[in-house]
Amino acid sequence: MGDTSGAGEPTLEEQIAAYQREFQDLDPQVEKIVSALSRLNRRMNVAYGRQTAELGIGNTDWEVLKALVLSGAPYCLGPGDLAKRLGLTPAAMTHRIDRMVTEGLVTRERDETNRVRVIVAITAEGREKWLAAMRLATVFEEDLLQDLSADERTALGEVLTRLLRRVEHAQPDAGGRLSDLD
Amino acid sequence: MGDTSGAGEPTLEEQIAAYQREFQDLDPQVEKIVSALSRLNRRMNVAYGRQTAELGIGNTDWEVLKALVLSGAPYCLGPGDLAKRLGLTPAAMTHRIDRMVTEGLVTRERDETNRVRVIVAITAEGREKWLAAMRLATVFEEDLLQDLSADERTALGEVLTRLLRRVEHAQPDAGGRLSDLD
DNA sequence: CCTTCGAACTTTAGCTTCTAAGTCTTCAGT
DNA sequence: ACTGAAGACTTAGAAGCTAAAGTTCGAAGG
């Protein structure tokens, strides 16, 4: 009946108007950028989540597979290395690896040259799942950017990396754990 | 020793190079944008998390306070409405409200005109915390965008809303629950 | 040679936050 | 009054994390 677009999520414009109403010293231009970034990312995460769910793996599995593949040949790392790269504690890593071993995505075995160490390696199945997820992701990403010209893409990439540099310089390597799905 | 920048997070450039190495049919320009978006958002979430933690509230509390304030006067909603806006189940909402009532951020009472309904209202303390969080957030956001000229900000806002429109049109209102911190 | 120290991983216990399913209360219509 | 539907709460349980203690092994020093 009203005009508040029901009970769901307000539109970006509605939300910015509400912010200005409740908090005067707010630059609407800044807020527009920040809110759009945030929403965009949420939508992307939802899309990625759906895609990985279709493949029968979780977002957490996907993160680990990504780290292993991007580490390069021979595609294996220790739990400690993985934990550092993913920004979580060794204990959490142990649990993830437990699950992923039973799911057949990775193997875990002791390093025979130094029996304190453990080697986590991606399996053929894990690699295939990663590839399949990447294919789905690139389709989604291409579609997302479809309306942008080559020049606009270049400009956007440049501006975003500039912002990123700024924020990474400010907080050098906080091990935060939120939506590491890049 | 090496050049892999230690065990922490790889740089954006390193990561894109690794992607290209492991997955050929990938447009580096697209990947640059997507990865930068993702990282930027993670950093922002970490920053917001720190700020709210300084104020003694959690991100989940912050989300609820935001929904209440942005709903406008008289700054109260039912648990069901809140659940819809935040994209979670009524049961989860009950738990959040329980906690926030004990923390003094909101009040919960029955609606005397319709005793099935419950009214969750923000308290003075809750409102102050929200304001304080907003002040911190705007400082951070201004700093983040400091290097961008007015024209660049306009252009960035325009491009991002264009992307957002595209993705929101594609998945109309998925109730996904990831990083709703805008 | 033996001991001790430290590093790397795992285990245990507990926390937070979510969902699903069932229950209770209250309003509205017959 | 009775019944049905709606709204919120309760209970049980899953997923994921952390902190701290425990285990196992390699290496350095007596």
Side-chain angles (χ1 to χ4, degrees):
Chain A
M1 290 196 159
D3 58 351
T4 53
S5 93
E9 195 170 44
T11 68
L12 188 62
E13 288 73 22
E14 285 167 354
Q15 186 174 343
I16 291 176
Y19 268 122
Q20 286 192 275
R21 174 165 44 74
E22 302 296 336
F23 188 77
Q24 276 73 29
D25 38 334
L26 183 71
D27 182 337
Q29 204 170 35
V30 171
E31 192 54 33
K32 184 174 179 179
I33 293 170
V34 170
S35 288
L37 276 175
S38 208
R39 287 185 180 218
L40 209 42
N41 219 265
R42 180 151 46 86
R43 297 290 184 158
M44 287 170 53
N45 286 341
V46 169
Y48 292 144
R50 282 210 195 120
Q51 291 173 353
T52 52
E54 267 176 42
L55 298 171
I57 63 179
N59 276 344
T60 59
D61 298 336
W62 160 251
E63 280 184 303
V64 175
L65 293 179
K66 185 188 66 169
L68 284 172
V69 170
L70 293 188
S71 74
Y75 309 111
C76 55
L77 292 169
D81 292 333
L82 278 169
K84 265 179 223 147
R85 295 192 190 221
L86 300 181
L88 31 85
T89 61
M93 206 60 239
T94 295
H95 297 318
R96 280 202 190 184
I97 295 168
D98 285 348
R99 182 165 35 76
M100 292 179 70
V101 167
T102 70
E103 290 168 346
L105 299 172
V106 299
T107 60
R108 167 162 50 189
E109 50 188 66
R110 303 210 84 92
D111 182 348
E112 288 306 326
T113 71
N114 179 345
R115 295 182 47 73
V116 166
R117 291 183 170 281
V118 170
I119 298 175
V120 177
I122 196 167
T123 63
E125 184 185 346
R127 199 177 175 77
E128 271 167 35
K129 297 263 185 183
W130 181 80
L131 271 171
M134 282 298 289
R135 280 188 222 104
L136 290 175
T138 53
V139 169
F140 170 78
E141 291 162 6
E142 263 305 340
D143 180 72
L144 174 68
L145 300 184
Q146 198 180 41
D147 295 340
L148 268 54
S149 69
D151 283 353
E152 284 176 319
R153 294 184 188 196
T154 307
L156 180 57
E158 192 276 327
V159 168
L160 291 179
T161 51
R162 197 142 36 107
L163 295 184
L164 190 59
R165 237 191 310 278
R166 180 156 191 89
V167 79
E168 282 182 342
H169 185 262
Q171 12 162 292
D173 205 298
R177 289 302 315 126
L178 290 167
S179 74
D180 191 8
L181 297 165
D182 55 357
Chain B
M1 304 178 158
D3 57 351
T4 54
S5 93
E9 194 170 46
T11 68
L12 188 62
E13 287 74 21
E14 284 167 354
Q15 186 175 347
I16 291 176
Y19 268 122
Q20 286 192 276
R21 173 165 44 74
E22 301 297 336
F23 188 76
Q24 277 73 29
D25 37 334
L26 184 72
D27 182 337
Q29 205 170 34
V30 171
E31 191 55 34
K32 184 173 178 180
I33 293 170
V34 170
S35 288
L37 276 175
S38 209
R39 288 187 180 216
L40 209 41
N41 217 265
R42 181 152 44 87
R43 297 292 184 157
M44 286 168 53
N45 286 341
V46 169
Y48 292 144
R50 281 213 195 117
Q51 292 172 353
T52 52
E54 268 176 41
L55 298 171
I57 62 179
N59 276 345
T60 59
D61 298 336
W62 160 250
E63 279 184 303
V64 176
L65 294 179
K66 185 188 64 168
L68 283 171
V69 171
L70 292 188
S71 75
Y75 309 112
C76 55
L77 292 169
D81 292 333
L82 278 169
K84 266 179 222 146
R85 295 192 191 222
L86 300 181
L88 30 86
T89 61
M93 207 59 238
T94 296
H95 296 318
R96 279 202 191 184
I97 295 168
D98 284 348
R99 183 166 33 75
M100 291 180 71
V101 167
T102 70
E103 291 167 347
L105 299 172
V106 299
T107 59
R108 167 162 50 189
E109 51 188 64
R110 304 210 83 92
D111 181 348
E112 287 307 326
T113 71
N114 179 345
R115 294 184 48 75
V116 165
R117 291 185 169 281
V118 169
I119 297 177
V120 177
I122 195 166
T123 63
E125 185 185 347
R127 198 174 176 79
E128 271 167 34
K129 297 261 183 183
W130 180 79
L131 271 171
M134 282 299 290
R135 279 188 223 105
L136 290 176
T138 54
V139 169
F140 170 78
E141 291 162 4
E142 264 304 342
D143 181 73
L144 174 68
L145 300 184
Q146 198 180 41
D147 295 340
L148 268 55
S149 70
D151 282 352
E152 283 175 319
R153 294 184 188 197
T154 307
L156 180 56
E158 192 276 329
V159 168
L160 291 179
T161 50
R162 195 139 42 104
L163 296 184
L164 190 59
R165 238 191 309 278
R166 181 156 191 88
V167 80
E168 283 182 341
H169 185 262
Q171 15 164 287
D173 205 296
R177 289 302 314 124
L178 289 167
S179 74
D180 191 8
L181 298 165
D182 54 359

